[in-house]
Coordinates of all heavy atoms in Angstrom, one line a residue:
M23 N 0.8 -1.2 0.0 CA 0.0 0.0 0.0 C 0.9 1.2 0.0 O 1.7 1.4 0.9 CB -0.9 0.0 1.2 CG -1.8 1.2 1.3 SD -3.2 1.0 2.5 CE -2.4 1.4 4.0
T24 N 0.7 2.1 -1.0 CA 1.5 3.3 -1.1 C 0.6 4.5 -0.8 O -0.6 4.5 -1.0 CB 2.1 3.5 -2.5 OG1 1.0 3.6 -3.4 CG2 3.0 2.4 -2.8
I25 N 1.2 5.5 -0.2 CA 0.5 6.8 0.1 C 0.8 7.8 -0.9 O 2.0 8.1 -1.2 CB 0.9 7.3 1.5 CG1 0.5 6.2 2.6 CG2 0.2 8.6 1.8 CD1 1.0 6.5 4.0
S26 N -0.2 8.4 -1.5 CA -0.1 9.5 -2.4 C 0.0 10.8 -1.7 O -0.9 11.4 -1.2 CB -1.2 9.5 -3.4 OG -1.2 10.6 -4.2
Y27 N 1.3 11.4 -1.7 CA 1.4 12.7 -1.0 C 0.9 13.8 -1.8 O 0.5 14.8 -1.2 CB 2.9 12.9 -0.7 CG 3.5 12.0 0.3 CD1 4.3 10.9 0.0 CD2 3.1 12.1 1.7 CE1 4.8 10.1 1.0 CE2 3.6 11.3 2.6 CZ 4.4 10.2 2.3 OH 4.9 9.4 3.2
K28 N 0.8 13.6 -3.1 CA 0.2 14.7 -3.9 C -1.3 14.8 -3.6 O -1.8 16.0 -3.5 CB 0.3 14.3 -5.4 CG -0.1 15.4 -6.4 CD 0.2 15.0 -7.8 CE -0.2 16.0 -8.8 NZ 0.0 15.7 -10.2
G29 N -2.0 13.7 -3.4 CA -3.4 13.8 -3.0 C -3.6 14.4 -1.6 O -4.5 15.2 -1.4
I30 N -2.7 14.0 -0.7 CA -2.8 14.5 0.7 C -2.6 16.0 0.7 O -3.3 16.8 1.4 CB -1.9 13.8 1.6 CG1 -2.3 12.3 1.8 CG2 -1.8 14.4 3.0 CD1 -1.3 11.5 2.5
M31 N -1.6 16.5 0.0 CA -1.2 17.9 -0.1 C -2.4 18.7 -0.6 O -2.7 19.8 -0.2 CB 0.0 18.2 -0.9 CG 1.3 17.7 -0.1 SD 1.5 18.5 1.5 CE 1.8 20.2 1.0
S32 N -3.0 18.2 -1.7 CA -4.1 19.0 -2.3 C -5.3 19.0 -1.3 O -6.0 20.1 -1.2 CB -4.6 18.4 -3.6 OG -5.1 17.1 -3.4
D33 N -5.5 18.0 -0.5 CA -6.6 18.0 0.5 C -6.3 19.0 1.6 O -7.2 19.7 2.0 CB -6.7 16.6 1.1 CG -7.4 15.6 0.2 OD1 -7.9 16.0 -0.8 OD2 -7.3 14.4 0.5
I34 N -5.0 19.0 2.0 CA -4.6 20.0 3.0 C -4.8 21.4 2.5 O -5.2 22.3 3.3 CB -3.2 19.7 3.5 CG1 -3.1 18.4 4.2 CG2 -2.6 20.9 4.3 CD1 -1.7 17.9 4.6
I35 N -4.4 21.7 1.3 CA -4.6 23.0 0.7 C -6.0 23.5 0.7 O -6.4 24.6 1.1 CB -3.9 23.1 -0.7 CG1 -2.4 23.0 -0.5 CG2 -4.3 24.4 -1.4 CD1 -1.6 22.9 -1.8
V36 N -6.9 22.6 0.3 CA -8.3 22.9 0.2 C -8.9 23.1 1.6 O -9.6 24.1 1.8 CB -9.1 21.7 -0.4 CG1 -10.6 21.9 -0.3 CG2 -8.8 21.6 -1.9
I37 N -8.5 22.3 2.6 CA -8.9 22.5 4.0 C -8.4 23.9 4.5 O -9.2 24.6 5.1 CB -8.5 21.4 4.9 CG1 -9.2 20.1 4.5 CG2 -8.6 21.7 6.3 CD1 -8.7 18.8 5.1
L38 N -7.2 24.2 4.2 CA -6.7 25.5 4.7 C -7.4 26.7 4.0 O -7.6 27.7 4.7 CB -5.1 25.6 4.4 CG -4.3 24.7 5.3 CD1 -2.8 24.8 4.8 CD2 -4.4 25.1 6.7
V39 N -7.7 26.6 2.8 CA -8.4 27.7 2.1 C -9.8 27.8 2.7 O -10.3 29.0 3.0 CB -8.5 27.4 0.6 CG1 -9.5 28.3 -0.1 CG2 -7.2 27.5 -0.1
I40 N -10.5 26.7 3.0 CA -11.8 26.8 3.6 C -11.7 27.4 5.0 O -12.6 28.3 5.3 CB -12.5 25.4 3.6 CG1 -12.8 25.0 2.2 CG2 -13.7 25.4 4.5 CD1 -13.3 23.5 2.1
L41 N -10.7 27.0 5.8 CA -10.6 27.6 7.1 C -10.3 29.1 7.0 O -10.7 29.8 7.9 CB -9.5 26.8 7.8 CG -9.8 25.4 8.4 CD1 -8.6 24.8 8.9 CD2 -10.9 25.5 9.4
A42 N -9.5 29.5 6.0 CA -9.2 30.9 5.9 C -10.4 31.7 5.6 O -10.6 32.8 6.1 CB -8.1 31.1 4.8
I43 N -11.3 31.2 4.7 CA -12.5 31.9 4.4 C -13.4 32.0 5.6 O -14.0 33.1 5.8 CB -13.2 31.2 3.2 CG1 -12.4 31.4 1.9 CG2 -14.6 31.7 3.0 CD1 -12.8 30.5 0.7
V44 N -13.6 30.9 6.3 CA -14.5 30.9 7.5 C -13.9 31.8 8.5 O -14.7 32.6 9.2 CB -14.6 29.5 8.0 CG1 -15.3 29.5 9.4 CG2 -15.4 28.6 7.0
S45 N -12.6 31.8 8.8 CA -12.0 32.7 9.7 C -12.2 34.2 9.4 O -12.5 35.0 10.2 CB -10.5 32.4 9.9 OG -10.3 31.1 10.3
A46 N -12.0 34.5 8.1 CA -12.2 35.9 7.7 C -13.6 36.3 7.9 O -13.9 37.5 8.3 CB -11.8 36.0 6.2
S47 N -14.6 35.4 7.6 CA -16.0 35.8 7.8 C -16.3 36.0 9.2 O -17.0 37.0 9.5 CB -16.9 34.6 7.2 OG -16.6 34.4 5.9
I48 N -15.9 35.1 10.1 CA -16.1 35.3 11.5 C -15.5 36.6 12.0 O -16.1 37.3 12.8 CB -15.6 34.1 12.3 CG1 -16.5 32.9 12.0 CG2 -15.6 34.3 13.8 CD1 -16.0 31.6 12.5
T49 N -14.3 36.9 11.6 CA -13.6 38.1 12.0 C -14.4 39.3 11.6 O -14.5 40.3 12.3 CB -12.2 38.2 11.4 OG1 -11.5 37.0 11.9 CG2 -11.4 39.4 11.9
K50 N -14.9 39.3 10.3 CA -15.7 40.5 9.8 C -16.9 40.7 10.7 O -17.3 41.8 11.0 CB -16.0 40.2 8.4 CG -17.0 41.2 7.7 CD -16.3 42.5 7.5 CE -17.3 43.4 6.7 NZ -16.8 44.7 6.7
I51 N -17.6 39.6 11.0 CA -18.8 39.7 11.8 C -18.5 40.2 13.2 O -19.2 41.1 13.7 CB -19.5 38.3 11.9 CG1 -20.1 37.9 10.5 CG2 -20.6 38.3 13.0 CD1 -20.5 36.4 10.5
V52 N -17.5 39.8 13.8 CA -17.1 40.2 15.1 C -16.8 41.7 15.1 O -17.2 42.5 16.0 CB -15.9 39.4 15.7 CG1 -15.4 40.0 17.0 CG2 -16.4 38.0 16.0
I53 N -16.0 42.1 14.1 CA -15.6 43.6 14.0 C -16.8 44.4 13.8 O -17.0 45.5 14.4 CB -14.6 43.7 12.9 CG1 -13.2 43.1 13.3 CG2 -14.4 45.2 12.5 CD1 -12.2 43.1 12.2
E54 N -17.7 44.0 12.9 CA -18.9 44.8 12.6 C -19.8 44.9 13.8 O -20.4 45.9 14.1 CB -19.6 44.3 11.4 CG -18.9 44.5 10.1 CD -18.6 45.9 9.7 OE1 -19.5 46.8 10.0 OE2 -17.5 46.2 9.3
K55 N -20.0 43.8 14.6 CA -20.8 43.8 15.7 C -20.2 44.7 16.8 O -21.0 45.3 17.6 CB -21.0 42.4 16.3 CG -22.0 41.6 15.4 CD -23.4 42.2 15.5 CE -24.4 41.4 14.7 NZ -25.7 42.0 14.7
K56 N -18.9 44.7 17.0 CA -18.3 45.6 17.9 C -18.5 47.1 17.6 O -18.5 47.9 18.5 CB -16.8 45.3 18.1 CG -16.5 44.1 18.9 CD -15.0 43.9 19.0 CE -14.7 42.7 19.9 NZ -13.3 42.5 20.1
K57 N -18.6 47.4 16.3 CA -18.9 48.8 15.8 C -20.3 49.1 16.1 O -20.7 50.3 16.1 CB -18.7 48.9 14.3 CG -17.2 48.9 13.9 CD -17.2 49.1 12.4 CE -15.8 49.0 11.8 NZ -15.8 49.2 10.4
G58 N -21.2 48.1 16.3 CA -22.6 48.4 16.6 C -23.5 48.3 15.4 O -24.6 48.7 15.4
T59 N -23.0 47.7 14.3 CA -23.8 47.6 13.1 C -24.9 46.6 13.3 O -24.7 45.5 13.9 CB -22.9 47.0 12.0 OG1 -21.7 47.9 11.8 CG2 -23.6 47.0 10.6
K60 N -26.1 47.0 12.9 CA -27.3 46.2 13.1 C -27.4 45.1 12.1 O -27.5 43.9 12.4 CB -28.6 47.0 13.1 CG -28.6 48.1 14.1 CD -28.8 47.5 15.5 CE -28.9 48.7 16.4 NZ -28.7 48.3 17.8
C61 N -27.3 45.4 10.8 CA -27.4 44.5 9.7 C -26.0 44.5 8.9 O -25.7 45.4 8.2 CB -28.5 44.9 8.7 SG -30.1 45.0 9.5
I62 N -25.3 43.4 9.1 CA -23.9 43.4 8.5 C -24.0 43.4 7.0 O -23.2 44.1 6.3 CB -23.1 42.2 9.1 CG1 -22.9 42.5 10.6 CG2 -21.8 42.1 8.4 CD1 -22.3 41.3 11.3
G63 N -24.9 42.6 6.4 CA -24.9 42.5 5.0 C -25.7 43.6 4.2 O -25.7 43.7 3.0
C64 N -26.3 44.5 5.0 CA -27.1 45.5 4.4 C -26.3 46.8 4.1 O -25.4 47.2 4.9 CB -28.2 45.9 5.4 SG -29.3 47.2 4.9
P65 N -26.5 47.4 3.0 CA -25.8 48.6 2.6 C -26.0 49.8 3.6 O -25.1 50.6 3.8 CB -26.3 49.0 1.2 CG -26.9 47.8 0.7 CD -27.4 47.0 1.9
A66 N -27.2 49.8 4.2 CA -27.5 50.8 5.2 C -27.2 50.4 6.6 O -27.7 51.0 7.6 CB -29.0 51.2 5.1
G67 N -26.5 49.3 6.8 CA -26.3 48.7 8.1 C -25.4 49.6 9.0 O -25.6 49.6 10.2
G68 N -24.5 50.4 8.5 CA -23.7 51.3 9.3 C -24.3 52.6 9.6 O -23.6 53.4 10.2
T69 N -25.5 52.9 9.1 CA -26.1 54.2 9.4 C -26.6 54.3 10.8 O -26.6 53.3 11.5 CB -27.3 54.4 8.4 OG1 -28.3 53.4 8.6 CG2 -26.8 54.4 7.0
S70 N -27.0 55.4 11.2 CA -27.4 55.7 12.6 C -28.9 55.3 12.8 O -29.4 55.5 13.9 CB -27.2 57.1 13.0 OG -28.0 57.9 12.1
K71 N -29.6 54.6 11.8 CA -30.9 54.2 12.1 C -31.0 53.1 13.1 O -30.0 52.3 13.2 CB -31.6 53.7 10.7 CG -31.7 54.8 9.7 CD -32.5 54.4 8.5 CE -31.8 53.2 7.8 NZ -32.5 52.8 6.6
N72 N -32.1 53.0 13.8 CA -32.2 51.9 14.8 C -32.5 50.5 14.1 O -32.2 49.5 14.7 CB -33.3 52.2 15.8 CG -32.9 53.3 16.7 OD1 -31.7 53.5 16.9 ND2 -33.8 54.1 17.3
T73 N -33.2 50.6 13.0 CA -33.5 49.3 12.3 C -33.0 49.3 10.9 O -32.7 50.3 10.4 CB -35.1 49.2 12.2 OG1 -35.6 50.3 11.5 CG2 -35.7 49.1 13.6
C74 N -32.8 48.1 10.4 CA -32.3 47.9 9.1 C -33.5 48.0 8.1 O -34.5 47.4 8.3 CB -31.6 46.6 9.0 SG -30.9 46.2 7.4
G75 N -33.3 48.6 7.0 CA -34.4 48.7 6.0 C -34.3 47.6 5.0 O -35.1 47.7 4.0
C76 N -33.5 46.6 5.2 CA -33.4 45.6 4.2 C -34.6 44.7 4.0 O -34.9 44.1 3.0 CB -32.2 44.7 4.5 SG -30.6 45.6 4.3
N77 N -35.3 44.5 5.1 CA -36.4 43.6 5.2 C -37.8 44.3 4.9 O -38.8 43.7 4.9 CB -36.5 42.9 6.5 CG -35.3 42.0 6.7 OD1 -34.8 41.4 5.8 ND2 -34.9 41.8 8.0
T78 N -37.8 45.5 4.5 CA -39.0 46.2 4.2 C -39.2 46.3 2.7 O -38.7 47.2 2.0 CB -39.0 47.7 4.8 OG1 -37.8 48.3 4.3 CG2 -38.8 47.6 6.3
H79 N -39.9 45.3 2.2 CA -40.2 45.2 0.8 C -41.7 45.7 0.6 O -42.5 45.3 1.3 CB -40.0 43.8 0.2 CG -38.6 43.4 0.4 ND1 -37.6 43.8 -0.4 CD2 -38.0 42.5 1.2 CE1 -36.4 43.2 0.0 NE2 -36.7 42.4 0.9
K80 N -41.9 46.4 -0.5 CA -43.3 46.9 -0.8 C -43.9 46.0 -1.8 O -43.3 45.4 -2.6 CB -43.3 48.3 -1.2 CG -42.8 49.2 -0.1 CD -42.9 50.7 -0.6 CE -42.4 51.6 0.6 NZ -42.5 53.0 0.2

């Protein structure tokens, strides 16, 4: 039985990329919540309004 190091390395790279994306997302959420942003994904989330206008569809 032989071990393919090429396959293992590609798996490790994929896992590291996924971990980097998840870590960056969590960091962004934490930073925005510390700023007091109500709706992180909303363009008006950083404004001084108390509520986010993203969910108000007519």
